[in-house]
């Protein structure tokens, strides 16, 4: 590199941090021209590369005739979504029960558009919000547990039953997805009851999926009530999704 260019580059690197503080505005442009320096205000930064996860989920949304941003904010990655889609589509016209409403609810309704889809939701605001965007039924439910009780309740199935309407209880569900209630800290209900009920509601030949199985509660209750021998799917995405074949 010629010495003049080296000095210009060095001068620019030394001058730029203090230019606005020490050099009067009327002098800055002449100095920049004299040193043949680029205008820092017009330097273009390289574009931010697209998020592959956003692109993948947008592709899934478009496949089912939904807006590309439908799954924005969903706490599932494309590999987890595809595993559940595969199970639902393998049972055309079947029934699909989902514990928990979310940003993915519109997709699940569309995936199972030829069958029956029902959501069970304990949070009134989420239930109302999702009900406005889908035609599928959202059934309000309640959980009496707190996550801190999970170890004590693990071997007490008689205490884990839920009060469910006959339209839910008297039907055998082809696919059950446990993604609720919340279970991220000790002030939440935890998924003890929903996993237990999933084991009772799934049909012979059906599948149960449980999200967040890297967490102790989901892992323990899935092992006890769904059975490790039935596990046929294990996918890491946003979290660990396990699937159990009945």
């Amino acid at each position: 590199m010629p010495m003049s260019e080296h000095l210009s580059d060095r001068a620019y690197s030394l001058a730029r941090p203090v230019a606005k503080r020490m050099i009067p505005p009327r002098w800055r442009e002449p100095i920049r021209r004299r040193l043949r320096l680029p205008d820092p205000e017009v330097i273009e930064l390289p574009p931010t590369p697209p998020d592959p996860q956003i692109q993948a989920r947008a592709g899934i949304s478009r496949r089912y005739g939904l807006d590309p941003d439908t799954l924005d904010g969903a706490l599932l990655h494309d590999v987890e979504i595809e595993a559940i889609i595969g199970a639902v589509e393998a049972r055309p016209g079947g029934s699909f029960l989902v514990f928990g409403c979310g940003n993915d609810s519109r997709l699940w309704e569309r995936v199972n558009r030829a069958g029956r889809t029902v959501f069970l939701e304990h949070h009134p605001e989420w239930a109302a919000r999702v009900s406005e965007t889908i035609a599928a039924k959202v059934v309000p439910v309640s959980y009496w547990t707190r996550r801190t009780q999970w170890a004590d309740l693990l071997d007490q199935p008689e205490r884990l039953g839920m009060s469910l309407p006959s339209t839910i209880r008297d039907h055998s569900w082809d696919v059950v997805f446990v993604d609720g209630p919340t279970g991220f800290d000790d002030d939440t209900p935890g998924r003890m009851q929903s996993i237990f009920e999933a084991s009772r509601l799934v049909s012979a030949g059906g599948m149960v999926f449980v999200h967040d199985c890297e967490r102790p509660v989901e892992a323990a209750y899935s092992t006890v009530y769904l059975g490790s021998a039935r596990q046929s799917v294990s996918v890491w995405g946003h979290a660990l999704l396990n699937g159990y074949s009945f």
Side-chain angles (χ1 to χ4, degrees), residues 143-159:
Y143 301 91
W144 67 267
T145 58
R146 282 293 174 263
R147 196 184 72 168
T148 51
Q149 300 170 288
W150 76 268
D152 293 335
L153 293 172
L154 185 60
D155 297 319
Q156 299 186 57
E158 69 278 2
R159 299 182 62 192

Side-chain angles (χ1 to χ4, degrees), residues 4 64 82-83 86 100 103 107 123 127 157 179 187 207 209 216 233 246:
S4 60
Y64 291 95
E82 294 285 12
N103 292 316
L107 174 69
H123 197 292
D179 200 22
D187 292 327
M207 283 202 70
F209 290 93
V233 174
F246 281 75

Side-chain angles (χ1 to χ4, degrees), residues 1-245:
M1 176 186 294
M3 180 61 70
S4 60
E5 293 185 16
H6 174 75
L7 291 175
S8 294
D9 289 344
R10 179 167 177 76
Y12 180 52
S13 64
L14 294 174
R16 185 179 179 184
V18 298
K20 291 185 177 181
R21 297 196 307 268
M22 299 182 63
I23 302 176
R26 66 181 183 277
W27 292 355
R28 291 176 192 166
E29 182 61 18
I31 291 174
R32 188 188 67 78
R33 289 179 180 175
R34 181 72 177 267
L35 296 176
R36 295 177 298 170
L37 301 177
D39 186 346
E41 302 300 326
V42 297
I43 295 176
E44 293 186 4
L45 298 175
T48 302
D51 185 331
Q53 191 50 232
I54 292 177
Q55 289 186 312
R57 293 190 297 193
I60 293 173
S61 296
R62 282 192 290 264
R63 191 197 315 166
Y64 291 95
L66 298 170
D67 293 336
D69 61 355
T70 297
L71 292 173
D72 287 359
L75 298 180
L76 291 164
H77 281 186
D78 61 316
V79 292
E80 299 164 279
I81 295 169
E82 294 285 12
I84 299 169
I85 288 175
V88 173
E89 293 188 338
R91 299 160 176 83
S95 55
F96 186 19
L97 181 66
V98 183
F99 284 85
C101 291
N103 292 316
D104 51 2
S105 297
R106 291 180 62 200
L107 174 69
W108 300 135
E109 179 188 45
R110 189 64 62 89
V111 168
N112 196 39
R113 57 190 175 276
R116 178 190 179 198
T117 304
V118 177
F119 298 87
L120 305 180
E121 178 56 54
H122 78 294
H123 197 292
E125 291 183 9
W126 266 110
R129 175 179 172 182
V130 171
S131 293
E132 293 175 355
T133 64
I134 62 175
K137 190 170 183 60
V138 178
V139 177
V141 295
S142 60
Y143 301 91
W144 67 267
T145 58
R146 282 293 174 263
R147 196 184 72 168
T148 51
Q149 300 170 288
W150 76 268
D152 293 335
L153 293 172
L154 185 60
D155 297 319
Q156 299 186 57
E158 69 278 2
R159 299 182 62 192
L160 293 173
M162 296 175 61
S163 177
L164 298 173
S166 59
T167 54
I168 304 298
R169 177 71 67 196
D170 296 343
H171 187 80
S172 294
W173 298 85
D174 295 304
V175 179
V176 181
F177 178 30
V178 179
D179 200 22
T182 47
F184 52 82
D185 64 31
D186 286 342
D187 292 327
T188 61
R191 295 180 183 165
M192 299 85 78
Q193 289 183 277
S194 54
I195 293 173
F196 170 73
E197 287 291 7
S199 72
R200 303 171 69 191
L201 295 168
V202 65
S203 66
M207 283 202 70
V208 176
F209 290 93
V210 180
H211 200 219
D212 301 302
C213 280
E214 78 282 1
R215 302 192 305 207
V217 175
E218 285 79 357
Y221 277 75
S222 294
T223 297
V224 171
Y225 292 106
L226 302 177
S228 56
R230 292 193 180 102
Q231 184 178 327
S232 57
V233 174
S234 186
V235 177
W236 265 105
H238 177 268
L240 178 60
L241 175 78
N242 284 346
Y244 301 82
S245 300

